[in-house]
Structures are given as C-alpha cells and as structure tokens.
Amino acid sequence: MRVELRKAPGPLRGEVPAPPDKSISHRAVMFSSISKGKSIIRNPLMAEDTISTMDAFRALGVRIDEGEGFVSVEGTGSLNCPADPIDCGNSGTTMRLLSGVLSGNPFTSVLKGDESLSRRPMKRVMEPLRLMGADIRAAREDNFPPLTVNGGGLSAITYEMPVASAQVKSSLMLAALYADGETVVVEKARSRDHTERMLPAYGAGVNVDGLKVTVKGGMPLRALDMEVPGDFSSAAFFAVAATITGGSELVIRNTGLNPTRTGLLSVLEAMGADIRIENRREVSGEPVGDLVCRSARLRGVDVDPALVPSLIDEFPVLCIAAALAEGVTNIRGARELRLKESDRITGVALPLRAMGVEVEEFPDGMSIQGRQWLEGATIDSLGDHRIAMSFAVASLVASGETVIRGADAVNVSFPGFFNILRRVCGG
C-alpha cells in the first residue's frame, strides 16, 4: 500500500483522543491470560501487534472475547501446550515477553514471526532465560526466530542487564513468576516500567528499588478490571505535526505521561515547542493528561543520551522536528534503533536526505541540519509503522507531493492514523 500526501491545506485544529497504549495493551492481555479468573480490559488497542498477542494466548488455551470498547480474558492460572507454532506477526513485544512466560511452562512451543520479526535478534532475551534454566533455542545462528522453548524448572537469578530494554526486563520478570526464589533484574538506565506498575495489581510480589527490580516466584495472579490509557508514542506524531505546522492548536486527549516514556517532551521543550499539559490524572496506575500543542519555531539541540531510552520509539518523529529546527540537532546513544522493525537510523536518514535535509549518520544516531522547508519525495517506509507515520507528518510542510510506500505498516500500532491526520488538517 502507498499513500500520496500533499502539504497541509491549513493549520491543525480541534482535538483527537490518543489511541490506546500498545505496550500496556500487550501486557494487560498477557497478565490476564496467566491469571485465574475473568479480567476485563477496557479501551484496549485493537491493532495488528496486540491482536497477535491475543491470538497467541488463544493458541495456548485462553478464552479471549472482544466487545465494544473492551476485551474479556478468562484465565485459569495455567496454559495449554499449543498444537501449532505460535505466530507473533510483526510484534517483537509478543515474542520476547511470551518467551519468558513459556520458559516457565512445562511443555514445548515454537514462536515464529513475519519476515521483519524473523530478522530481529533474540539472543539478548534468550541468554538470561537460559541462566534461569530455560531450554530455548533459535533456528538461525542461535539468535533469530523461529524460537523453540522447552519450558519448566526455572530458578531465580540476579541479572545485570547490559542494555536498557523494557522487553528483556519484562520477559525476565514474567519468567520469574514461575521460578523458585526471588529474581533480581538490575538496569543500567531506567526503561519503561509498565510491567512493574501492572504486575502488583494482579497480585505479583514485585519490589522496585531504584534501577533494581525484584520479583518473588510462585505467587498466583488474580483477575483484574482495568482501563488502558492513551499511547504517548502515538500521540507524539500529532504533537510534532501541530508544532511544525504554522497556526496550529491541537488538543490530544487522554495521553499517557509515564515518565519512562516522555523524553520527547523534554527535548521538544528544550527546542522551544509550545506544549502544555492539562487535566493531569491517573488511569490504572499510570499518569495521564491532555496535551495542548501549538505551532512554534524550533531550535536545534544536543539530545542528552540519558533521555534516549525514554524516547526510543519517538526517534523518527523527533528527527522530523529537528529537520524543521533552526541549527543542528545531535542525537547519540541510540544504537538500539538499528535492531527495531527496521534499521531506524538509516531508515530515517535516507528519506530525510530525499526531502533536502543535510544528515550525518553515526553508528548510534545522527546529526541533522535544520532548514525552513522540506521537499516532497517518494519515501520507502521499510514496512516500519513509525517511519511511515513520521514522514506523513513531514509531508504536512513539504512542497509538492510526498508518496509513502508501505504505508499499511501503520496498522501495526495505529489503524486509522491517516484518516485522523487528514481530519485535523482540514483535508
């Protein structure tokens, strides 16, 4: 699928709800599936990635029913051996977190994914699971899917993570639920903490002490009624779109403001963005608010590498903001982006150059020389949803026509993105 876009006919106006949070939706389905009793998940994200997680647990014998604005999950406290390989689609979250769950269950299962997921490395989650006693193997080079998991017989460990990763941390925490004793995971820098916030509500024994998370094994989980807040990572596209499009004022409702996710706000503020937070509140243990975003003239900045873990998914759209800022923006410490759905560093640098932006690429980031306008171009999204949406935002201020190839990748996390973008632009 390709989408053709032209410069926005006018400023962005009105308001939009932030779509349901993808990370929290994944975890709510997983935690409910391994709990005992009927859980209700309100406002879940119904996108390709989260549906992959639902289908995975259906394959493991869990009854999951979809209603209008909610999902019900009937857990029995145990899982069944799947009859066939479990298809994780494009979802790295599904594969990595499910690896932890399956490592603790006494049967053999196989996890596979689409072409993109089959190129994503899994050794960094396999190695600590093996230290816990899991028998987990990869089909290619002991690193790439499909994965075969022979579960059961786990022991607690203390593991110091070499790289901050919420997926690896969460996988180990889930495996720890099935292990004897207390498992300790120590991070170098704080990654998103949705698992630490949610698991105690399901009855798990979790203690957080700075960068150290301790999980007590053998505690059964109980069902929960919860609501999924809005996804900051999806709201970020509209926040940047309003910032770079002259005369805009856009309100993004119900946006999750978890501090492990909102590094982009700190960077945009340093760049001179006009984004105000109103109606702060809490939803299911997560901070939430409404973002009021107005257009602003931006200036280039040096992004603090310490902020990178909290804006890792927003890197592509941050680069769009940097391309329209006065001066140079430097982003380093983001080597992890080479291992996402695509190589997001090269995947963003190439189309920026096609739109007339001067970019210097580094192994762990890039330097962007801002300019006052962009040139329309044909963009290959590489099948990456965040690249596709980021360059749709760029098209709003580009001369001529911009064509985005592989635009259907947005369905992974944000179905309806293009329709909403056209509506708020008056198109």
Short mmCIF file of all heavy atoms in Angstrom, two decimals, residues 206-265:
data_model
loop_
_atom_site.label_atom_id
_atom_site.label_comp_id
_atom_site.label_asym_id
_atom_site.label_seq_id
_atom_site.Cartn_x
_atom_site.Cartn_y
_atom_site.Cartn_z
N VAL A 206 6.30 -7.80 43.62
CA VAL A 206 7.30 -7.01 42.88
C VAL A 206 7.77 -5.86 43.77
O VAL A 206 6.95 -5.14 44.35
CB VAL A 206 6.72 -6.46 41.57
CG1 VAL A 206 7.75 -5.58 40.85
CG2 VAL A 206 6.26 -7.58 40.66
N ASN A 207 9.07 -5.69 43.83
CA ASN A 207 9.65 -4.57 44.59
C ASN A 207 10.62 -3.83 43.69
O ASN A 207 11.48 -4.44 43.04
CB ASN A 207 10.38 -5.06 45.84
CG ASN A 207 10.96 -3.91 46.64
OD1 ASN A 207 10.23 -3.10 47.19
ND2 ASN A 207 12.28 -3.83 46.69
N VAL A 208 10.48 -2.51 43.65
CA VAL A 208 11.35 -1.67 42.84
C VAL A 208 12.19 -0.80 43.76
O VAL A 208 11.66 -0.08 44.61
CB VAL A 208 10.55 -0.78 41.87
CG1 VAL A 208 11.48 0.09 41.04
CG2 VAL A 208 9.68 -1.64 40.96
N ASP A 209 13.50 -0.88 43.59
CA ASP A 209 14.43 -0.09 44.38
C ASP A 209 15.43 0.56 43.43
O ASP A 209 16.42 -0.06 43.04
CB ASP A 209 15.14 -0.97 45.41
CG ASP A 209 16.12 -0.18 46.28
OD1 ASP A 209 16.10 1.07 46.22
OD2 ASP A 209 16.90 -0.82 47.01
N GLY A 210 15.14 1.79 43.01
CA GLY A 210 15.99 2.45 42.03
C GLY A 210 15.97 1.70 40.71
O GLY A 210 14.92 1.51 40.10
N LEU A 211 17.14 1.25 40.26
CA LEU A 211 17.24 0.51 39.00
C LEU A 211 17.17 -1.00 39.21
O LEU A 211 17.41 -1.76 38.27
CB LEU A 211 18.56 0.87 38.30
CG LEU A 211 18.71 2.34 37.87
CD1 LEU A 211 20.09 2.58 37.28
CD2 LEU A 211 17.63 2.73 36.87
N LYS A 212 16.82 -1.42 40.42
CA LYS A 212 16.75 -2.86 40.73
C LYS A 212 15.30 -3.27 40.93
O LYS A 212 14.55 -2.66 41.69
CB LYS A 212 17.55 -3.17 42.00
CG LYS A 212 17.55 -4.63 42.40
CD LYS A 212 18.52 -4.89 43.54
CE LYS A 212 18.02 -4.29 44.84
NZ LYS A 212 18.89 -4.67 45.99
N VAL A 213 14.89 -4.33 40.21
CA VAL A 213 13.54 -4.87 40.33
C VAL A 213 13.64 -6.30 40.85
O VAL A 213 14.38 -7.12 40.29
CB VAL A 213 12.80 -4.86 38.98
CG1 VAL A 213 11.39 -5.42 39.13
CG2 VAL A 213 12.75 -3.46 38.40
N THR A 214 12.89 -6.60 41.91
CA THR A 214 12.88 -7.95 42.49
C THR A 214 11.49 -8.55 42.33
O THR A 214 10.48 -7.90 42.64
CB THR A 214 13.25 -7.90 43.98
OG1 THR A 214 14.53 -7.29 44.13
CG2 THR A 214 13.29 -9.30 44.57
N VAL A 215 11.43 -9.79 41.84
CA VAL A 215 10.17 -10.48 41.64
C VAL A 215 10.18 -11.79 42.41
O VAL A 215 11.11 -12.60 42.25
CB VAL A 215 9.91 -10.77 40.14
CG1 VAL A 215 8.57 -11.47 39.95
CG2 VAL A 215 9.96 -9.48 39.32
N LYS A 216 9.18 -12.00 43.23
CA LYS A 216 9.07 -13.22 44.02
C LYS A 216 8.32 -14.28 43.22
O LYS A 216 7.23 -14.03 42.71
CB LYS A 216 8.34 -12.94 45.33
CG LYS A 216 8.28 -14.13 46.27
CD LYS A 216 7.63 -13.74 47.59
CE LYS A 216 7.60 -14.92 48.57
NZ LYS A 216 6.98 -14.54 49.87
N GLY A 217 8.90 -15.45 43.10
CA GLY A 217 8.27 -16.52 42.34
C GLY A 217 7.18 -17.24 43.12
O GLY A 217 7.10 -17.15 44.35
N GLY A 218 6.31 -17.93 42.37
CA GLY A 218 5.32 -18.81 42.98
C GLY A 218 4.07 -18.14 43.49
O GLY A 218 3.23 -18.79 44.14
N MET A 219 3.87 -16.84 43.23
CA MET A 219 2.67 -16.16 43.69
C MET A 219 1.62 -16.14 42.57
O MET A 219 1.85 -15.58 41.51
CB MET A 219 2.99 -14.73 44.13
CG MET A 219 3.93 -14.65 45.33
SD MET A 219 4.24 -12.95 45.89
CE MET A 219 2.60 -12.49 46.49
N PRO A 220 0.47 -16.79 42.77
CA PRO A 220 -0.55 -16.82 41.71
C PRO A 220 -1.13 -15.44 41.45
O PRO A 220 -1.27 -14.62 42.36
CB PRO A 220 -1.61 -17.77 42.29
CG PRO A 220 -1.43 -17.71 43.77
CD PRO A 220 0.04 -17.50 43.99
N LEU A 221 -1.45 -15.19 40.20
CA LEU A 221 -2.03 -13.91 39.82
C LEU A 221 -3.56 -13.99 39.85
O LEU A 221 -4.14 -15.05 39.62
CB LEU A 221 -1.56 -13.51 38.42
CG LEU A 221 -0.04 -13.42 38.19
CD1 LEU A 221 0.23 -12.83 36.81
CD2 LEU A 221 0.63 -12.59 39.28
N ARG A 222 -4.19 -12.86 40.10
CA ARG A 222 -5.65 -12.79 40.15
C ARG A 222 -6.16 -11.87 39.05
O ARG A 222 -5.46 -10.97 38.57
CB ARG A 222 -6.11 -12.27 41.51
CG ARG A 222 -5.54 -10.91 41.88
CD ARG A 222 -6.08 -10.39 43.19
NE ARG A 222 -5.49 -9.10 43.53
CZ ARG A 222 -4.46 -8.94 44.33
NH1 ARG A 222 -3.88 -10.00 44.89
NH2 ARG A 222 -3.99 -7.73 44.58
N ALA A 223 -7.42 -12.10 38.66
CA ALA A 223 -8.03 -11.32 37.58
C ALA A 223 -8.19 -9.86 37.98
O ALA A 223 -8.19 -9.51 39.17
CB ALA A 223 -9.39 -11.92 37.23
N LEU A 224 -8.33 -9.00 36.97
CA LEU A 224 -8.33 -7.57 37.20
C LEU A 224 -9.27 -6.89 36.20
O LEU A 224 -9.41 -7.33 35.06
CB LEU A 224 -6.91 -7.02 37.02
CG LEU A 224 -6.63 -5.57 37.36
CD1 LEU A 224 -6.78 -5.34 38.86
CD2 LEU A 224 -5.22 -5.19 36.93
N ASP A 225 -9.92 -5.81 36.65
CA ASP A 225 -10.70 -4.94 35.77
C ASP A 225 -9.91 -3.66 35.61
O ASP A 225 -9.64 -2.97 36.60
CB ASP A 225 -12.07 -4.66 36.41
CG ASP A 225 -13.01 -3.91 35.46
OD1 ASP A 225 -12.51 -3.23 34.54
OD2 ASP A 225 -14.24 -3.99 35.65
N MET A 226 -9.48 -3.34 34.39
CA MET A 226 -8.60 -2.19 34.19
C MET A 226 -8.93 -1.44 32.92
O MET A 226 -9.62 -1.95 32.03
CB MET A 226 -7.14 -2.63 34.16
CG MET A 226 -6.78 -3.45 32.94
SD MET A 226 -4.99 -3.54 32.68
CE MET A 226 -4.60 -1.82 32.33
N GLU A 227 -8.42 -0.20 32.82
CA GLU A 227 -8.58 0.62 31.63
C GLU A 227 -7.20 0.97 31.08
O GLU A 227 -6.29 1.30 31.83
CB GLU A 227 -9.34 1.90 31.96
CG GLU A 227 -9.53 2.84 30.79
CD GLU A 227 -10.26 4.12 31.14
OE1 GLU A 227 -10.79 4.20 32.28
OE2 GLU A 227 -10.29 5.04 30.30
N VAL A 228 -7.07 0.91 29.76
CA VAL A 228 -5.80 1.24 29.10
C VAL A 228 -5.78 2.73 28.77
O VAL A 228 -6.68 3.24 28.09
CB VAL A 228 -5.62 0.42 27.81
CG1 VAL A 228 -4.33 0.81 27.09
CG2 VAL A 228 -5.62 -1.08 28.12
N PRO A 229 -4.79 3.47 29.25
CA PRO A 229 -4.70 4.90 28.90
C PRO A 229 -4.21 5.09 27.47
O PRO A 229 -3.86 4.14 26.77
CB PRO A 229 -3.67 5.42 29.91
CG PRO A 229 -2.81 4.25 30.22
CD PRO A 229 -3.71 3.05 30.16
N GLY A 230 -4.18 6.35 27.03
CA GLY A 230 -3.72 6.66 25.69
C GLY A 230 -2.22 6.49 25.53
O GLY A 230 -1.46 6.57 26.50
N ASP A 231 -1.80 6.26 24.30
CA ASP A 231 -0.41 5.94 23.98
C ASP A 231 0.36 7.21 23.65
O ASP A 231 0.09 7.88 22.65
CB ASP A 231 -0.38 4.98 22.80
CG ASP A 231 0.97 4.32 22.60
OD1 ASP A 231 1.99 5.01 22.73
OD2 ASP A 231 1.01 3.12 22.30
N PHE A 232 1.35 7.54 24.48
CA PHE A 232 2.16 8.73 24.22
C PHE A 232 2.89 8.62 22.89
O PHE A 232 3.02 9.60 22.15
CB PHE A 232 3.17 8.96 25.34
CG PHE A 232 4.07 10.13 25.08
CD1 PHE A 232 3.63 11.41 25.33
CD2 PHE A 232 5.33 9.95 24.52
CE1 PHE A 232 4.44 12.51 25.05
CE2 PHE A 232 6.15 11.04 24.24
CZ PHE A 232 5.70 12.32 24.50
N SER A 233 3.38 7.42 22.56
CA SER A 233 4.15 7.25 21.32
C SER A 233 3.31 7.56 20.10
O SER A 233 3.82 8.08 19.10
CB SER A 233 4.71 5.83 21.24
OG SER A 233 5.64 5.59 22.28
N SER A 234 2.01 7.25 20.13
CA SER A 234 1.13 7.57 19.01
C SER A 234 0.74 9.04 19.04
O SER A 234 0.63 9.69 18.00
CB SER A 234 -0.11 6.68 19.06
OG SER A 234 0.22 5.32 18.83
N ALA A 235 0.52 9.58 20.24
CA ALA A 235 0.19 11.00 20.35
C ALA A 235 1.33 11.87 19.85
O ALA A 235 1.11 12.99 19.35
CB ALA A 235 -0.12 11.33 21.81
N ALA A 236 2.56 11.37 19.95
CA ALA A 236 3.74 12.17 19.57
C ALA A 236 3.69 12.64 18.12
O ALA A 236 4.17 13.73 17.80
CB ALA A 236 5.01 11.35 19.82
N PHE A 237 3.11 11.83 17.24
CA PHE A 237 3.05 12.23 15.83
C PHE A 237 2.22 13.49 15.67
O PHE A 237 2.57 14.40 14.91
CB PHE A 237 2.48 11.09 14.98
CG PHE A 237 3.33 9.85 15.02
CD1 PHE A 237 2.94 8.74 15.74
CD2 PHE A 237 4.54 9.80 14.35
CE1 PHE A 237 3.72 7.61 15.80
CE2 PHE A 237 5.34 8.67 14.39
CZ PHE A 237 4.92 7.57 15.12
N PHE A 238 1.11 13.57 16.39
CA PHE A 238 0.25 14.75 16.28
C PHE A 238 0.84 15.94 17.02
O PHE A 238 0.66 17.09 16.60
CB PHE A 238 -1.15 14.40 16.79
CG PHE A 238 -1.87 13.47 15.87
CD1 PHE A 238 -1.94 12.12 16.14
CD2 PHE A 238 -2.46 13.94 14.71
CE1 PHE A 238 -2.58 11.25 15.27
CE2 PHE A 238 -3.11 13.09 13.84
CZ PHE A 238 -3.18 11.74 14.11
N ALA A 239 1.55 15.69 18.12
CA ALA A 239 2.20 16.78 18.84
C ALA A 239 3.24 17.46 17.95
O ALA A 239 3.32 18.70 17.89
CB ALA A 239 2.84 16.25 20.12
N VAL A 240 4.05 16.67 17.26
CA VAL A 240 5.06 17.24 16.36
C VAL A 240 4.39 17.88 15.15
O VAL A 240 4.80 18.97 14.70
CB VAL A 240 6.09 16.17 15.94
CG1 VAL A 240 7.00 16.70 14.83
CG2 VAL A 240 6.91 15.73 17.14
N ALA A 241 3.34 17.25 14.62
CA ALA A 241 2.65 17.82 13.46
C ALA A 241 2.11 19.21 13.78
O ALA A 241 2.26 20.14 12.97
CB ALA A 241 1.51 16.90 13.04
N ALA A 242 1.50 19.38 14.95
CA ALA A 242 0.98 20.70 15.33
C ALA A 242 2.11 21.69 15.56
O ALA A 242 2.00 22.88 15.24
CB ALA A 242 0.12 20.57 16.58
N THR A 243 3.23 21.22 16.10
CA THR A 243 4.36 22.10 16.39
C THR A 243 4.97 22.68 15.12
O THR A 243 5.33 23.86 15.08
CB THR A 243 5.43 21.32 17.19
OG1 THR A 243 4.89 20.93 18.46
CG2 THR A 243 6.67 22.17 17.41
N ILE A 244 5.08 21.88 14.06
CA ILE A 244 5.79 22.33 12.86
C ILE A 244 4.87 22.97 11.82
O ILE A 244 5.37 23.54 10.84
CB ILE A 244 6.58 21.18 12.21
CG1 ILE A 244 5.65 20.09 11.68
CG2 ILE A 244 7.61 20.62 13.18
CD1 ILE A 244 6.34 18.99 10.91
N THR A 245 3.55 22.91 12.02
CA THR A 245 2.61 23.45 11.04
C THR A 245 2.07 24.78 11.54
O THR A 245 1.39 24.83 12.58
CB THR A 245 1.44 22.47 10.79
OG1 THR A 245 1.97 21.19 10.43
CG2 THR A 245 0.55 22.97 9.68
N GLY A 246 2.36 25.85 10.84
CA GLY A 246 2.05 27.20 11.30
C GLY A 246 0.58 27.41 11.63
O GLY A 246 -0.31 26.92 10.91
N GLY A 247 0.31 28.14 12.71
CA GLY A 247 -1.05 28.49 13.10
C GLY A 247 -1.84 27.39 13.77
O GLY A 247 -3.04 27.53 13.99
N SER A 248 -1.18 26.30 14.14
CA SER A 248 -1.90 25.13 14.69
C SER A 248 -2.17 25.27 16.18
O SER A 248 -1.39 25.88 16.92
CB SER A 248 -1.10 23.85 14.45
OG SER A 248 -0.96 23.58 13.07
N GLU A 249 -3.28 24.69 16.60
CA GLU A 249 -3.57 24.47 18.01
C GLU A 249 -4.40 23.20 18.11
O GLU A 249 -5.55 23.15 17.66
CB GLU A 249 -4.32 25.64 18.65
CG GLU A 249 -4.58 25.38 20.14
CD GLU A 249 -5.13 26.59 20.88
OE1 GLU A 249 -5.02 27.71 20.34
OE2 GLU A 249 -5.65 26.41 21.98
N LEU A 250 -3.80 22.16 18.66
CA LEU A 250 -4.41 20.83 18.69
C LEU A 250 -4.36 20.29 20.11
O LEU A 250 -3.32 20.37 20.77
CB LEU A 250 -3.66 19.89 17.74
CG LEU A 250 -4.23 18.48 17.56
CD1 LEU A 250 -5.55 18.53 16.81
CD2 LEU A 250 -3.23 17.59 16.81
N VAL A 251 -5.47 19.71 20.56
CA VAL A 251 -5.53 19.09 21.88
C VAL A 251 -5.56 17.57 21.69
O VAL A 251 -6.38 17.05 20.94
CB VAL A 251 -6.78 19.54 22.66
CG1 VAL A 251 -6.81 18.89 24.05
CG2 VAL A 251 -6.79 21.06 22.79
N ILE A 252 -4.65 16.88 22.37
CA ILE A 252 -4.59 15.42 22.29
C ILE A 252 -5.02 14.88 23.65
O ILE A 252 -4.31 15.02 24.65
CB ILE A 252 -3.17 14.93 21.93
CG1 ILE A 252 -2.64 15.69 20.71
CG2 ILE A 252 -3.18 13.43 21.65
CD1 ILE A 252 -1.18 15.45 20.43
N ARG A 253 -6.21 14.31 23.71
CA ARG A 253 -6.82 13.90 24.96
C ARG A 253 -6.28 12.55 25.46
O ARG A 253 -5.87 11.70 24.68
CB ARG A 253 -8.34 13.77 24.79
CG ARG A 253 -9.05 15.05 24.35
CD ARG A 253 -9.11 16.06 25.45
NE ARG A 253 -9.92 17.23 25.09
CZ ARG A 253 -9.91 18.37 25.76
NH1 ARG A 253 -9.15 18.49 26.84
NH2 ARG A 253 -10.66 19.38 25.36
N ASN A 254 -6.33 12.39 26.78
CA ASN A 254 -6.09 11.09 27.43
C ASN A 254 -4.74 10.49 27.06
O ASN A 254 -4.62 9.31 26.78
CB ASN A 254 -7.21 10.10 27.07
CG ASN A 254 -7.20 8.87 27.96
OD1 ASN A 254 -6.98 8.96 29.16
ND2 ASN A 254 -7.42 7.71 27.36
N THR A 255 -3.70 11.30 27.09
CA THR A 255 -2.37 10.85 26.70
C THR A 255 -1.59 10.32 27.91
O THR A 255 -1.47 11.01 28.92
CB THR A 255 -1.58 12.01 26.06
OG1 THR A 255 -2.32 12.54 24.96
CG2 THR A 255 -0.23 11.53 25.59
N GLY A 256 -1.07 9.12 27.80
CA GLY A 256 -0.25 8.57 28.86
C GLY A 256 1.02 9.39 29.05
O GLY A 256 1.67 9.77 28.06
N LEU A 257 1.35 9.66 30.31
CA LEU A 257 2.51 10.51 30.62
C LEU A 257 3.49 9.80 31.54
O LEU A 257 4.14 10.42 32.38
CB LEU A 257 2.04 11.82 31.24
CG LEU A 257 1.17 12.70 30.34
CD1 LEU A 257 0.63 13.89 31.12
CD2 LEU A 257 1.97 13.19 29.13
N ASN A 258 3.61 8.49 31.38
CA ASN A 258 4.57 7.74 32.17
C ASN A 258 5.96 8.35 31.96
O ASN A 258 6.41 8.50 30.82
CB ASN A 258 4.56 6.27 31.71
CG ASN A 258 5.45 5.39 32.55
OD1 ASN A 258 6.63 5.63 32.69
ND2 ASN A 258 4.88 4.33 33.10
N PRO A 259 6.65 8.71 33.05
CA PRO A 259 7.94 9.40 32.89
C PRO A 259 9.01 8.59 32.19
O PRO A 259 10.00 9.15 31.72
CB PRO A 259 8.34 9.74 34.33
CG PRO A 259 7.54 8.84 35.19
CD PRO A 259 6.26 8.60 34.46
N THR A 260 8.85 7.25 32.10
CA THR A 260 9.82 6.45 31.35
C THR A 260 9.53 6.47 29.85
O THR A 260 10.26 5.85 29.08
CB THR A 260 9.82 4.99 31.85
OG1 THR A 260 8.53 4.39 31.58
CG2 THR A 260 10.12 4.91 33.33
N ARG A 261 8.48 7.21 29.45
CA ARG A 261 8.09 7.26 28.04
C ARG A 261 8.16 8.65 27.43
O ARG A 261 8.04 8.78 26.21
CB ARG A 261 6.64 6.76 27.90
CG ARG A 261 6.37 5.33 28.29
CD ARG A 261 6.75 4.36 27.20
NE ARG A 261 6.00 4.57 25.98
CZ ARG A 261 4.78 4.07 25.75
NH1 ARG A 261 4.16 3.36 26.68
NH2 ARG A 261 4.18 4.28 24.60
N THR A 262 8.30 9.70 28.25
CA THR A 262 8.04 11.06 27.75
C THR A 262 9.30 11.90 27.55
O THR A 262 9.25 13.12 27.63
CB THR A 262 7.08 11.78 28.71
OG1 THR A 262 7.61 11.74 30.05
CG2 THR A 262 5.70 11.14 28.70
N GLY A 263 10.42 11.26 27.27
CA GLY A 263 11.64 12.01 26.99
C GLY A 263 11.47 12.99 25.85
O GLY A 263 12.10 14.05 25.83
N LEU A 264 10.62 12.65 24.87
CA LEU A 264 10.40 13.55 23.73
C LEU A 264 9.89 14.91 24.20
O LEU A 264 10.29 15.94 23.63
CB LEU A 264 9.40 12.92 22.76
CG LEU A 264 9.04 13.80 21.55
CD1 LEU A 264 10.22 13.93 20.62
CD2 LEU A 264 7.82 13.26 20.82
N LEU A 265 9.02 14.95 25.21
CA LEU A 265 8.51 16.23 25.70
C LEU A 265 9.64 17.11 26.22
O LEU A 265 9.67 18.31 25.98
CB LEU A 265 7.47 16.01 26.79
CG LEU A 265 6.09 15.52 26.37
CD1 LEU A 265 5.17 15.41 27.58
CD2 LEU A 265 5.46 16.44 25.31
#
